[in-house]
Amino acid sequence: MRLELHKAHVKSIQWGASTSLKDGVLSVNKDELLGMLKQDERFKSVEVDLAHPGEKVRITPVKDAVEPRCKISGGGEVFPGTASDVETVGSGETFVLEGVAVLTAGKLVGFQEGIVDMSGEGAKFTPFSQTNNLVAVFQPVEGIEIYEYEQACRMAGLKTALYLAKKCLEGGAKADKVETYELPALKDALAAHPELPKIGYVYMLQTQGLLHDTYVYGIDAKRIIPSIIHPNETMDGAIVSGNCVSACDKNSTYIHLNNPVIKSLYEHHGKDLNFVGVIITNENVTLADKRRSSAYAIKLAKMIGVDGVVISEEGFGNPDADLIMNCRRAEQSGIKTVLVTDEYAGRDGASQSLADACKEADAVVTAGNANAIIELPAMEKVIGYDEFADTIAGGFDGSRHADGSITVELQAITGATCELGFNKMGGITI
Amino acid sequence: MSQHIVCVTNNPLILERYKSSDRAELRLVEGASTDVFRVARDLIHAGWKFLNHPQYGNFKPSKQPYRTLALEASESDLAPVDMDSFSMLENALDDRQEPLVPEACSETTQHDFAVIDAELMKETLNRFYKKSIPLF
């Protein structure tokens, strides 16, 4: 499967007479966009706004972030099974508006979901302070069932992203660069590079219930048994987020589209490892489901015949048990593991980092301590509603101060400790 | 012991949504999430096993006022303590912060927390309990 990402770089975003891209400036026809979003009768109101890097703007509570993409060729359309018809994606050419994110915001439940600051201390921790953001803020109609409303918000984000990319492509926008991703069929992949270790990727998807769900080709991933997916399919939106809990380490759709683990495995492919494929698995609540998924995912890795796997987690708490179960089973099967996680080690960093551990987990990458405290200065403008700061995950009584500043744990910052490495914290050895 | 599944909860929404049956009991605990854990600990000391992982996904125990735990009885009255369950319980309890009690939250937030707790437990409880209302 071969996929070309045709990336057009966007320097800024503005409202305009038509939705188009010219000289790196994305113009958006606000009325046309609002007209499309308001067709969903589940929304009482929809507002859209723009936010640029460096502005004194706070966006909260953020649910999902989506990168605008659409297919040029290769069959199907991005976000299959959700915003588009179910068709296999991951081949051909895909158009990408790079440097833009669609952020969805609004009250879903009276806590959770994230904060994105476009400047100040908080901006240093969220990747979405560096993107030109189109923010859609929703209010549901009275009496709507909460699952319905979540689905409406999810679909609105995906449709907006698809709309932006399609309009620009139809208007003649050209890519500034083309990235090519290609992995052969499994029999050829396994025969290639016999001198290099065969490496797979076990991609854990959060699937514990409302706000904790992930969708694969439109299927709620808690209802799948682990499966093999081509890495290119993730770049065409085969995996989408069911909105966020917790903000710091829930993988938004934007991050699924730009998974750094997959990108890095591609970069190393043929040099110091042979990247042979991706196994998606879930993170359930019931212990029997956890054991089934872990056993099945590692069985797939054994059937493929990998020498090692990278395992990434999503979320914390009981998903730590899935991570460790996957690690132990793989290592005991003779498959080496590297784990990617984050830590909840208390505000002073002195507490146990994960809810579970095993001696086989001896190669672990951390994305940071989500309990670390951060002071967010007051902003000149808030898009959305900041009255939930006291009850947001990572917030506490008194989080929001009278002057508009906020004291929270990093947990409240969207993408701050992303366990795919799409965050801004890290350490290097010098 | 005729009922071999028990669901211990301080979440009133669970009792609205499900009914006890011949094989599965619902037990409402008054108080905080730590009180639910104490009831579960007594059962585990008597040989019961967890059906769901007692760690919450993405919540510190002290940050979610409601807690719902499903346990299964051992086949023997003289069963030893299930060490996996015991260890999971102790890890879940290892949070030295004061628990958030439902009354400390606004009515809307209480409801939202109750919904999230019930939704997280839905897959587990749907297998063992009769539903009181058909719409979920």
Side-chain angles (χ1 to χ4, degrees), chain B:
Chain B
M1 199 180 300
S2 59
Q3 289 170 313
H4 68 276
I5 307 284
V6 66
C7 169
V8 187
T9 184
N10 66 338
N11 181 356
L13 189 60
I14 297 284
L15 268 82
E16 279 179 34
R17 287 187 169 191
Y18 297 94
K19 290 190 284 199
S20 290
S21 67
D22 291 345
R23 59 191 287 251
E25 177 200 350
L26 283 176
R27 200 181 294 181
L28 184 68
V29 175
E30 299 286 340
S33 55
T34 42
D35 297 303
V36 176
F37 275 112
R38 281 193 198 101
V39 174
R41 181 157 59 185
D42 290 346
L43 289 166
I44 283 166
H45 287 174
W48 290 61
K49 293 191 291 191
F50 277 125
L51 281 170
N52 66 303
H53 196 287
Q55 276 276 354
Y56 239 121
N58 305 296
F59 284 98
K60 285 266 180 189
S62 60
K63 293 287 182 189
Q64 160 58 294
Y66 295 112
R67 206 67 190 88
T68 302
L69 299 169
L71 298 101
E72 182 179 35
S74 63
E75 287 170 8
S76 158
D77 286 345
L78 295 170
V81 172
D82 179 67
M83 290 312 290
D84 286 343
S85 295
F86 182 77
S87 160
M88 284 190 280
L89 179 87
E90 292 302 316
N91 275 331
L93 279 169
D94 186 24
D95 184 353
R96 280 157 282 178
Q97 290 178 303
E98 279 293 304
L100 180 65
V101 293
E103 296 73 32
C105 310
S106 72
E107 205 171 296
T108 312
T109 306
Q110 269 185 49
H111 177 72
D112 290 344
F113 274 124
V115 168
I116 290 290
D117 177 67
E119 292 295 335
L120 284 176
M121 289 302 294
K122 189 165 79 173
E123 295 295 318
T124 308
L125 297 183
N126 281 355
R127 290 178 201 177
F128 303 109
Y129 289 86
K130 291 176 185 166
K131 293 167 199 169
S132 300
I133 46 175
L135 292 173
F136 64 97

Side-chain angles (χ1 to χ4, degrees), chain A residues 5 7 44 195 234 304 365 412:
Chain A
L5 295 182
K7 295 191 168 182
K44 184 169 78 181
E195 73 287 4
T234 68
I304 295 168
V365 178

Side-chain angles (χ1 to χ4, degrees), chain A residues 26-44:
Chain A
L26 173 61
S27 297
V28 181
N29 181 328
K30 189 176 182 178
D31 292 338
E32 186 175 75
L33 174 62
L34 277 173
M36 180 186 82
L37 293 173
K38 286 179 176 175
Q39 281 176 7
D40 194 325
E41 293 173 350
R42 295 172 288 189
F43 296 132
K44 184 169 78 181

Side-chain angles (χ1 to χ4, degrees), chain A residues 33-144:
Chain A
L33 174 62
L34 277 173
M36 180 186 82
L37 293 173
K38 286 179 176 175
Q39 281 176 7
D40 194 325
E41 293 173 350
R42 295 172 288 189
F43 296 132
K44 184 169 78 181
S45 73
V46 184
E47 291 168 40
V48 289
D49 212 332
L50 304 174
H52 295 93
E55 290 177 349
K56 291 189 174 174
V57 172
R58 170 163 299 141
I59 309 163
T60 188
V62 174
K63 305 178 185 317
D64 197 12
V66 191
E67 185 171 50
R69 293 185 176 206
C70 69
K71 293 301 289 180
I72 303 169
S73 68
E77 184 50 276
V78 298
F79 312 125
T82 45
S84 307
D85 196 10
V86 184
E87 186 58 63
T88 302
V89 291
S91 297
E93 302 160 300
T94 298
F95 181 65
V96 182
L97 289 177
E98 190 181 53
V100 181
V102 174
L103 301 186
T104 49
K107 177 192 179 299
L108 193 57
V109 288
F111 56 94
Q112 304 292 342
E113 304 160 288
I115 298 172
V116 169
D117 277 1
M118 300 307 291
S119 63
E121 195 61 19
K124 296 177 187 170
F125 292 90
T126 176
F128 302 110
S129 62
Q130 304 302 303
T131 47
N132 298 288
N133 297 327
L134 191 155
V135 189
V137 184
F138 306 105
Q139 279 204 332
V141 293
E142 296 288 327
I144 188 173

Side-chain angles (χ1 to χ4, degrees), chain A residues 155-231:
Chain A
M155 293 301 291
L158 301 175
K159 282 179 178 171
T160 303
L162 185 55
Y163 159 83
L164 292 174
K166 265 188 161 174
K167 283 283 175 184
C168 290
L169 184 66
E170 286 165 10
K174 295 279 179 258
D176 300 302
K177 62 179 176 186
V178 177
E179 295 173 1
T180 303
Y181 296 92
E182 183 171 16
L183 278 189
L186 208 46
K187 73 175 172 57
D188 299 322
L190 290 168
H193 311 293
E195 73 287 4
L196 297 177
K198 297 176 185 60
I199 302 299
Y201 171 33
V202 177
Y203 192 171
M204 293 170 57
L205 307 174
Q206 200 171 83
T207 57
Q208 295 156 346
L210 184 65
L211 292 177
H212 299 66
D213 285 329
T214 306
Y215 295 83
V216 181
Y217 280 94
I219 294 286
D220 182 346
K222 77 164 76 66
R223 305 198 185 283
I224 65 166
I225 54 170
S227 183
I228 296 171
I229 194 167
H230 195 286

Side-chain angles (χ1 to χ4, degrees), chain A residues 366-414:
Chain A
T366 175
N369 178 16
N371 293 135
I373 291 283
I374 181 169
E375 305 281 342
L376 306 176
M379 292 284 151
E380 289 173 359
K381 177 178 171 184
V382 174
I383 302 177
Y385 316 92
D386 68 351
E387 66 262 35
F388 302 113
D390 285 359
T391 48
I392 207 163
F396 39 85
D397 276 347
S399 275
R400 181 166 165 262
H401 309 299
D403 65 354
S405 63
I406 295 176
T407 307
V408 281
E409 294 184 3
L410 275 184
Q411 195 181 348
I413 309 293
T414 298

